Each structure stands twice: as structure tokens, then as C-alpha cells.
């Protein structure tokens, strides 16, 4: 027998390309085209590097308290992690420990099945309707947990709070996770449900609406009991996940509401301006409440458009799996100028 038989083998998540070229238009990983708050830049410029001698605060208390203040909840209801991927991975490990399957949509964030496989969690996917909306009745069965992004990724389609409350009411036996990575771009938040139900976890990230994908900050809000279980698992895994510099910049960002609101509004305005332009060019898409548009073209193959855009140094995302979406492109919303260039190039190649 070979040692390789005793190795944990997994098929990893494949992140979007991060091309090393200058002068490209990068619309492939839903980053924010605007920089982080000037308050963050100030923190980075003035950071006392002697602090790096010491371990960071394992509880990241300054950041936990700032997030708790911002959302008007107590600190024992907040968990922070190194990006929401870290938060979600810990949440899978902590809450999805049943023999019954965890449920999520067939078209959704493609990391969910990777974590389920990594942790040997049984799961079942539920098919989106043809218009890419979620059929709540699909989730009407005993299960080991539920996770749904709102708005869903990569579709951009949002459901309202009542939709999720109806699902949660039926599932006192498991934890329901709402991944709100894109909620700031116009969807309803499920945060009020965390006051009412002790088994719902709402997960957020700084990577999209706060322009800080490079800093790796994510957080979750739930009931004190839910958060306690998550912290127990985190402290059984790695205590010092978030570094001192990141903790300080995370605090500065969430305290600068004016800058945040202004940049989010800008992205939304650009998205709404681009929607009719894409339709005019022959694209079809469900209405997006996120910082991307998930579109299919009426006559031209997604792969052809993808390659031609790439040849013009414009990067968008093309998922080859599941095959139901292999004729779609996910186009992140960039600056006004970037989107003008995209439309111009599309006009040339279509
Ligand atoms: C981007 C994204 C994440 C991960 O974000 P990070 O905080 O950068 O790890 C999680 N869920 C969804 C649906 C996303 O699109």
C-alpha cells in the first residue's frame, strides 16, 4: 500500500485570474474599481511597526467592536475572519455536522461544494428555476443545514427577507447561512432575522463593497450561542488568523460611512447605466442587485466573446461548469470609463 492512499484528496476551488499585466480592464473577480477609504490609507501610513513584534489580538476585539457598533448588535454576536471564505469555511466545519445533506442551489458560489467535500459533509444541490430564481419549496425537507447567497452568485438575483424567513421558520433543526457578499449593492439584508432566530448566520465581506479584497476581512453576525460555537472551532484551528495591520484598517473602513456610501452608490449607478446598453447589444440577463451582471448573448457564444475580450485586454469571468451556465459571462462593474471601453469593444466584436 502506498502512503498516497492515506492522503486527503480534494478538488480545489479555482479563483478568477489575477493577470500580472498593467493596462488591463479587470472585470472578472467582482473587485471594487475604487480604492479603500482614505481613512484606511492613513492607518497604513501611520502604522506603528513595533506592534508587529507581538502577536495580534486573537479576538480582534477592536474590529469586532467596530462591526458590532456599526450594525447595532452586541459584540458577542460578531465573528471576524480572514475574508468571508475563512468565515464560511469555519461555519461549514462548525455547523454542518449532520448525516443529513446540506442544501444549496445548483448554481451558486462554487466554493460551497469544495468545503463540503473537504470536510466530508453530505450535500444536495437544488436546481434554480430557468429564470435563475430560487424555488423555496425545494428547501422544504429535513436537512443538515442550508446556505444561500443573497444576492445569489454568480446570477446576481436577490430574494427578499420574507423569502428567507419562510425557509428559516421551517428549519429549527439546522443552521441557515445567508452569504451577503453583495448585499450592499441593493438587496435586502437578513440581519434583522438574527435578532429573531438563534440559528441564522449572516456572512459579510470587505472584499466587494468596501474595496478591500487584498486585506482579507470577512465577518458573520448571529446569536451569541451560534457565534460561541464558531469561536470554539476557530480557536481549535488557528488562534491568530487576522494580523494587527488588517484589524486596524478594518476598523478605519467601517467607521467611514460617507466614503463607503458614495462608492457603493457609484457602482450601482454605473450598473444601471450599463444594463440597457448590454441589452441593446443583444445580451439577456436577470436583473442584478450586485456589482456584476451575469449575461448570455442571444446569438454569439460566451466563449467566443470571452476570448475576444481577453485579446483586447478586458477580463470577464466564464464558468464552464455547471453546463447550464456555460453560455453566460459574469461581468463585474468597473469605473464609468472601464465600462465605456467594454461597450465600445463589444460593439466591435459582436
Ligand atoms: C467574493 C465572495 C466570497 C468571498 O469573499 P472574501 O471575503 O474575499 O473571501 C464569499 N461568497 C461569495 C458569494 C462571494 O462572491
Amino acid at each position: 500500500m502506498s502512503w498516497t492512499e492515506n492522503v486527503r484528496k480534494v478538488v480545489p476551488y479555482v479563483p478568477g485570474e489575477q493577470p500580472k499585466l498593467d493596462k488591463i480592464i479587470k472585470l472578472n473577480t467582482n473587485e471594487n474599481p475604487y480604492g479603500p477609504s482614505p481613512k484606511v490609507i492613513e492607518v497604513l501610513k501611520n502604522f506603528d511597526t513595533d506592534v508587529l513584534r507581538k502577536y495580534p489580538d486573537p479576538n480582534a476585539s477592536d474590529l469586532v467592536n467596530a462591526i458590532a457598533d456599526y450594525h447595532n448588535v452586541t459584540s458577542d454576536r460578531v465573528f471576524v475572519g480572514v475574508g468571508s471564505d475563512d468565515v464560511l469555511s469555519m461555519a461549514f466545519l462548525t455547523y454542518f455536522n449532520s448525516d443529513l445533506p446540506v442544501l444549496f442551489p445548483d448554481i451558486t458560489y462554487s466554493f460551497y461544494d469544495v468545503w463540503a467535500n473537504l470536510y466530508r459533509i453530505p450535500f444536495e444541490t437544488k436546481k434554480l428555476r430557468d429564470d435563475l430564481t430560487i424555488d423555496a419549496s425545494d428547501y422544504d425537507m429535513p436537512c443538515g443545514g442550508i446556505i444561500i447567497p443573497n444576492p445569489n452568485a454568480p446570477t446576481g438575483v436577490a430574494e427578499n427577507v420574507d423569502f428567507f424567513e419562510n425557509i428559516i421558520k421551517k428549519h429549527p433543526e439546522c443552521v441557515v447561512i445567508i452569504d451577503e457578499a453583495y448585499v450592499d449593492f441593493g438587496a435586502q439584508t437578513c440581519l434583522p432575522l438574527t435578532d429573531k432566530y438563534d440559528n441564522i448566520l449572516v456572512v459579510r465581506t470587505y472584499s466587494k463593497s468596501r474595496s478591500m479584497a487584498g486585506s482579507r476581512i470577512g465577518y458573520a453576525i448571529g446569536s451569541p450561542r451560534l457565534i460561541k460555537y464558531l469561536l470554539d472551532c476557530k480557536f481549535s484551528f488557528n488562534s491568530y488568523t487576522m494580523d494587527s495591520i488588517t484589524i486596524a484598517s478594518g476598523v478605519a473602513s467601517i467607521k467611514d460611512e460617507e466614503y463607503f456610501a458614495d462608492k457603493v452608490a457609484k457602482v450601482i449607478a454605473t450598473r444601471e447605466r450599463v444594463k440597457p446598453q448590454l441589452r441593446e447589444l443583444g445580451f439577456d440577463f436577470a436583473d442584478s442587485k450586485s456589482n456584476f451582471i451575469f449575461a448570455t448573448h442571444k446569438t454569439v457564444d460566451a466563449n467566443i466573446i470571452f476570448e475576444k475580450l481577453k485579446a483586447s485586454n478586458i477580463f470577464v469571468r466564464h464558468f464552464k461548469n455547471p453546463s447550464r451556465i456555460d453560455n453566460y459571462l459574469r461581468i463585474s462593474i468597473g469605473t464609468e470609463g472601464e465600462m465605456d471601453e467594454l461597450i465600445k469593444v463589444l460593439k466591435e466584436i459582436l
Side-chain angles (χ1 to χ4, degrees):
M1 185 175 126
S2 158
W3 61 268
T4 56
E5 281 173 51
N6 286 321
V7 167
R8 184 181 294 265
K9 296 184 192 77
V10 288
V11 181
Y13 172 77
V14 184
E17 257 181 287
Q18 295 290 353
K20 291 270 182 287
L21 309 162
D22 296 335
K23 286 216 168 162
I24 61 156
I25 295 185
K26 197 171 172 307
L27 309 175
N28 69 334
T29 53
N30 297 342
E31 288 142 338
N32 197 309
Y34 306 106
S37 154
K39 299 271 182 343
V40 173
I41 297 162
E42 220 169 286
V43 163
L44 294 175
K45 275 191 182 147
N46 301 325
F47 193 79
D48 173 11
T49 49
D50 190 51
V51 170
L52 296 180
R53 207 169 42 73
K54 295 181 286 180
Y55 281 104
D57 170 9
N59 296 306
S61 311
D62 289 349
L63 183 56
V64 164
N65 292 335
I67 292 169
D69 274 355
Y70 182 76
H71 288 294
N72 209 7
V73 296
T74 50
S75 300
D76 58 355
R77 293 182 48 192
V78 178
F79 176 89
V80 299
V82 182
S84 58
D85 284 343
D86 179 41
V87 176
L88 289 163
S89 155
M90 275 298 122
F92 268 64
L93 184 64
T94 308
Y95 306 125
F96 297 161
N97 194 31
S98 158
D99 294 330
L100 293 175
V102 166
L103 311 179
F104 47 86
D106 66 334
I107 297 169
T108 194
Y109 188 37
S110 50
F111 224 138
Y112 299 157
D113 59 345
V114 173
W115 286 314
N117 287 322
L118 172 64
Y119 297 131
R120 310 285 189 254
I121 299 164
F123 67 94
E124 210 175 291
T125 59
K126 297 293 177 185
K127 204 162 179 267
L128 293 186
R129 296 190 188 101
D130 287 339
D131 66 357
L132 303 180
T133 56
I134 299 169
D135 184 346
S137 68
D138 287 344
Y139 295 81
D140 209 350
M141 60 183 268
C143 63
I146 294 174
I147 177 157
I148 300 175
N150 192 49
N152 194 9
T155 65
V157 177
E159 309 287 345
N160 60 27
V161 180
D162 292 343
F163 172 94
F164 290 104
E165 182 158 24
N166 286 333
I167 291 180
I168 288 151
K169 271 188 196 155
K170 293 183 179 144
H171 289 285
E173 85 288 8
C174 69
V175 173
V176 177
I177 301 176
I178 312 300
D179 181 350
E180 293 193 339
Y182 301 103
V183 77
D184 294 320
F185 299 105
Q188 285 181 9
T189 177
C190 284
L191 277 175
L193 298 180
T194 66
D195 297 331
K196 230 167 131 182
Y197 301 90
D198 64 359
N199 60 328
I200 168 178
L201 189 80
V202 170
V203 179
R204 293 279 186 97
T205 176
Y206 274 49
S207 297
K208 281 86 186 214
S209 55
R210 292 192 178 275
S211 311
M212 288 175 73
S215 290
R216 315 304 302 127
I217 305 175
Y219 62 92
I221 293 181
S223 64
R225 253 201 322 164
L226 204 59
I227 296 300
K228 168 71 168 62
Y229 285 124
L230 196 52
L231 285 167
D232 286 347
C233 273
K234 175 237 155 105
F235 283 110
S236 310
F237 196 87
N238 180 356
S239 316
Y240 302 109
T241 49
M242 190 176 277
D243 67 82
S244 316
I245 301 174
T246 303
I247 292 170
S249 15
V251 172
S253 168
I254 208 152
K255 288 193 168 160
D256 193 353
E257 178 65 14
E258 195 182 330
Y259 182 88
F260 165 77
D262 178 56
K263 293 300 173 286
V264 165
K266 254 177 126 162
V267 171
I268 293 173
T270 305
R271 177 189 73 205
E272 295 307 313
R273 179 178 72 85
V274 165
K275 279 177 183 174
Q277 293 181 308
L278 287 175
R279 288 204 199 282
E280 206 166 296
L281 285 166
F283 284 98
D284 249 345
F285 47 88
D287 193 36
S288 169
K289 293 281 185 224
S290 54
N291 67 339
F292 57 83
I293 293 173
F294 190 57
T296 185
H297 194 270
K298 288 196 178 88
T299 53
V300 187
D301 226 50
N303 201 40
I304 293 174
I305 305 174
F306 175 83
E307 291 298 340
K308 285 189 171 170
L309 285 176
K310 195 167 166 176
S312 305
N313 282 332
I314 299 178
F315 287 71
V316 298
R317 190 90 194 258
H318 181 220
F319 297 94
K320 298 199 165 65
N321 285 304
S323 58
R324 255 182 104 189
I325 57 165
D326 67 4
N327 203 26
Y328 280 82
L329 295 173
R330 193 194 65 190
I331 305 166
S332 309
I333 303 299
T335 60
E336 290 279 300
E338 287 174 329
M339 299 318 275
D340 285 345
E341 180 66 17
L342 169 79
I343 298 293
K344 188 184 126 221
V345 172
L346 282 172
K347 279 183 181 154
E348 286 161 16
I349 64 184
L350 289 170

